[in-house]
Amino acid sequence: DDSDKTTAIHLPTGWLTFDSALGGGFALRAFTTLCGNPGIGKSTLSLQIGSAIARQGKSVLYFSTEEDSDRIKARAKRLRATHPNLIIKSGKSWRDFVSSIPYQKSDMVILDSLSRVFDEDDKASVGSIGQIRRCGLQLTGLAKMSDWVIMAIVHTTKSGEMAGHKG
């Protein structure tokens, strides 16, 4: 009897190969990280993902801790990745990011980047492994309590390890 099994509901991007790699798209109520070296294109890819989801009539919040929203909007325009359902915000603090989520009523939330967010309640330095871990656990909890897809960018070193201070 398969009645006890839960089926993950997915939010596909519409990019067949990408969605296939994710098992059918981004899983609802899940937290996904996009990791890679600085400058490799994680922000650009994330913006394009947000646009692809927004074009399906879904609401997407793209929150940047690295660049101001005007710069991101200009990049979105160059990439032809603008859409009324793609809301772009920026800030440096964890509190600003978390408080912006419920007001957008988003289907997907993208944080660019978890490695650069400042948590006022955490004594660890910005980008430390400990802070990234704690914020990641909070994002996992938020995703599980909602119907959101949450994706965050995390920087890695050239050796493939999560970038950041070890504190």
Side-chain angles (χ1 to χ4, degrees):
D1 183 10
D2 291 337
S3 61
D4 292 335
K5 292 183 181 178
T6 58
T7 304
I9 309 248
H10 292 87
L11 182 60
T13 62
W15 305 336
L16 297 179
T17 304
F18 187 83
D19 290 338
S20 178
L22 292 173
F26 289 96
L28 292 180
R29 298 183 176 195
F31 169 54
T32 304
T33 56
L34 177 62
C35 303
N37 293 344
I40 202 166
K42 297 177 301 298
S43 297
T44 299
L45 177 60
S46 297
L47 193 56
Q48 292 171 317
I49 289 169
S51 176
I53 300 292
R55 291 176 195 283
Q56 298 173 40
K58 303 293 185 183
S59 177
V60 179
L61 170 63
Y62 183 102
F63 191 96
S64 177
T65 61
E66 297 196 332
E67 301 177 90
D68 69 35
S69 55
D70 289 337
R71 187 170 178 185
I72 297 164
K73 288 174 185 176
R75 181 185 306 138
K77 190 173 182 178
R78 281 193 314 274
L79 294 169
R80 294 189 174 109
T82 59
H83 194 277
N85 292 343
L86 176 61
I87 309 301
I88 297 172
K89 302 244 180 209
S90 63
K92 296 291 183 196
S93 81
W94 177 253
R95 194 172 293 141
D96 289 344
F97 165 66
V98 172
S99 67
S100 69
I101 297 172
Y103 300 108
Q104 300 305 319
K105 297 184 176 153
S106 302
D107 296 295
M108 181 175 202
V109 177
I110 300 170
L111 174 60
D112 179 9
S113 93
L114 188 54
S115 302
R116 299 280 190 256
V117 70
F118 171 70
D119 185 356
E120 304 88 341
D121 300 324
D122 191 344
K123 292 183 177 29
S125 58
V126 172
S128 70
I129 300 298
Q131 182 173 320
I132 291 170
R133 184 178 301 120
R134 281 185 289 282
C135 291
L137 287 171
Q138 289 180 49
L139 288 172
T140 300
L142 282 172
K144 287 182 178 186
M145 293 183 334
S146 68
D147 284 331
W148 304 327
V149 168
I150 300 180
M151 184 181 87
I153 292 174
V154 177
H155 300 290
T156 59
T157 63
K158 289 181 181 178
S159 63
E161 296 176 5
M162 194 178 347
H165 308 291
K166 301 296 181 200

